[in-house]
Amino acid sequence: MGEKTIYQQLKEEGLSRRDFMKFCGLLSGMMGLEFVAPAKALGALARPDPARMVAEALESKPRLPLIWLELQDCAGCTEAISRSPSPSLVNLVLNKISVDYQETLMAAAGFQAEQAKLDTMKKYHGKYVLVVEGSPTIGENGVYCTIGGRSNLDLLKEAAEGAAAIIATGNCASFGGIPKAQPNPTGARGVWEVITDRPIVNIPGCPAIPEVTTGTIAHFLVMGQLPKTDSLHRPLTFYGHTIHDHCLRRPFYEAGKFAEGFRSEGAREGHCLYKLGCKGPTTYNACSSLKWEQGLSFPVQSGHPCLGCSEPHFWDGGGLYQGQSAPLDRPSLAAIGTAAGVGAALGIAMAGANSLKKRNAGKTTPPPDKGSSE
Ligand code: SF4
Ligand code: F3S
């Protein structure tokens, strides 16, 4: 008898047909619209339902074996995924239909865990997906990061050799991240600078958005290939726009209204954070559209400028919180009108947040003040 399909496995786990279809809908949503594009050629009437397409794939394919390596990292991407507010979905994708080895989350440890990894690499040679979190270190032949007595370079090359595809999650695995900041004593690199002969996709962010990592895994699971990417190997579905493109403070930017300090009147009114060092106009990520915590918020919405954490060299490049002079674009009357509307909406949201802050006074640490006020 052949290997069980993903649907058969989920059914045995107790998933009802109704929940399965709901799960397929969520998966298709996470994968974005890119994968239904080829279907458009069939015409509007023949266009299939994305959830149905996902269901058909899961009903016919065996589970996707997945090995998750952690190299030089803080485990922040693992933390973000394990604390995602959609644990059932992430749990289903990662535990029930994918992960064979993840040293932080798996129950096994030590030799038992390493044996599980070796077994998976042997049994599914050429078929498994390798997720890498953390930067490989090339200094002194990888001696600055060793696991079980072996250098991270050895472990990465060994696991990459039999991988069908590699997903580098987080800025460290994608571009070297904070460990690569000057003077980079360990020789941190992005995975794609070390492994050059395997299909690879980068999911940068500090940490990566859990749904973007899971959505990319889901894409490979259903489509059998990695999604289309930009020149930095980031999936276009999630990295096709800048933070600035969908930022809710954008009308203020267009109207030339900028917060001058973190405790300024402009900051309280939700004005644009460009002068406080926001890198949103040059940062490609899904934060302002997908947001975090199931669409609840993202750094800029919460009052913090985008630090550009999904871009290469974000820690060194341009300086964090460094004020920038106001952009030269002249505001349009329409933009000023929209800014007033957004200001009212943000004002209501921030008034709610302020009253909550008052209730919690003394329990939280205020953000750093840049000094000036408007
Ligand atoms: Fe753009 Fe940042 Fe201003 Fe938002 S806060 S509009 S991302 S510059
Ligand atoms: Fe990072 Fe900017 Fe999003 S700092 S988390 S890319 S808003």
Side-chain angles (χ1 to χ4, degrees), residues 243-244 247 249-250 253 271-274 278-281 300:
I243 301 299
H244 188 66
C247 181
R249 294 176 191 257
R250 178 71 181 267
Y253 173 96
H271 291 177
C272 171
L273 304 174
Y274 186 79
C278 184
K279 306 280 195 307
V300 175

Side-chain angles (χ1 to χ4, degrees), residues 25-47:
L26 283 167
L27 270 188
S28 65
M30 279 204 300
M31 289 162 61
L33 296 173
E34 181 205 328
F35 88 114
V36 292
K40 283 184 182 170
L42 300 172
L45 287 176
R47 197 181 303 166

Side-chain angles (χ1 to χ4, degrees), residues 2-333:
E3 213 174 333
K4 286 177 194 162
T5 66
I6 295 166
Y7 175 57
Q8 283 170 330
Q9 293 208 13
L10 291 173
K11 209 167 148 191
E12 282 176 16
E13 295 281 345
L15 194 77
S16 68
R17 181 75 192 170
R18 187 188 177 88
D19 285 344
F20 173 67
M21 289 311 295
K22 204 168 137 194
F23 172 60
C24 293
L26 283 167
L27 270 188
S28 65
M30 279 204 300
M31 289 162 61
L33 296 173
E34 181 205 328
F35 88 114
V36 292
K40 283 184 182 170
L42 300 172
L45 287 176
R47 197 181 303 166
D49 169 12
R52 188 64 249 160
M53 284 176 70
V54 172
E56 277 166 16
L58 299 188
E59 281 164 345
S60 59
K61 288 176 188 245
R63 67 186 284 280
L64 176 71
L66 193 146
I67 292 172
W68 185 304
L69 284 188
E70 286 194 57
L71 306 181
Q72 186 171 232
D73 72 335
C74 68
C77 295
T78 294
E79 280 284 334
I81 266 199
S82 63
R83 291 172 201 283
S84 164
S86 53
S88 57
L89 180 61
V90 171
N91 185 35
L92 278 169
V93 172
L94 292 183
N95 294 343
K96 300 283 190 286
I97 58 181
S98 289
V99 175
D100 288 85
Y101 176 88
Q102 213 285 8
E103 59 195 26
T104 305
L105 300 179
M106 67 197 298
F111 294 118
Q112 202 186 11
E114 293 308 302
Q115 194 56 50
K117 184 179 73 175
L118 291 173
D119 290 348
T120 302
M121 289 194 305
K122 195 169 161 197
K123 185 173 175 188
Y124 297 104
H125 191 268
K127 294 182 183 154
Y128 61 84
V129 166
L130 174 64
V131 177
V132 183
E133 176 182 359
S135 52
T137 70
I138 64 169
E140 309 290 341
N141 269 333
V143 76
Y144 294 114
C145 177
T146 61
I147 299 156
R150 294 180 63 197
S151 90
N152 73 97
L153 276 184
D154 266 2
L155 294 166
L156 174 61
K157 285 175 184 166
E158 177 187 65
E161 192 271 324
I166 300 176
I167 297 175
T169 185
N171 196 304
C172 297
S174 301
F175 305 132
I178 294 174
K180 198 183 178 185
Q182 292 302 331
N184 189 9
T186 63
R189 294 285 186 278
V191 173
W192 61 325
E193 296 175 87
V194 176
I195 305 294
T196 53
D197 59 353
R198 285 286 173 277
I200 188 161
V201 71
N202 288 329
I203 313 292
C206 191
I209 301 175
E211 285 80 1
V212 174
T213 302
T214 327
T216 305
I217 295 169
H219 189 286
F220 192 85
L221 180 80
V222 173
M223 306 297 283
Q225 60 185 25
L226 292 173
K228 288 198 187 99
T229 63
D230 65 9
S231 60
L232 294 174
H233 289 221
R234 300 176 293 196
L236 284 168
T237 305
F238 302 110
Y239 296 87
H241 295 277
T242 64
I243 301 299
H244 188 66
D245 285 339
H246 298 296
C247 181
L248 77 175
R249 294 176 191 257
R250 178 71 181 267
F252 288 115
Y253 173 96
E254 300 295 345
K257 287 176 173 280
F258 301 98
E260 302 283 346
F262 282 102
R263 290 180 182 166
S264 66
E265 194 54 36
R268 270 189 285 278
E269 288 177 7
H271 291 177
C272 171
L273 304 174
Y274 186 79
K275 286 191 179 180
L276 299 178
C278 184
K279 306 280 195 307
T282 51
T283 301
Y284 289 83
N285 202 349
C287 305
S288 56
S289 47
L290 197 59
K291 300 191 182 176
W292 286 74
E293 308 295 322
Q294 282 189 320
L296 180 69
S297 189
F298 74 109
V300 175
Q301 185 172 343
S302 305
H304 195 282
C306 170
L307 298 181
C309 76
S310 56
E311 296 294 324
H313 311 293
F314 88 98
W315 200 254
D316 292 325
L320 304 179
Y321 303 105
Q322 277 187 14
Q324 308 162 93
S325 43
L328 295 174
D329 323 14
R330 292 188 67 80
S332 66
L333 284 176

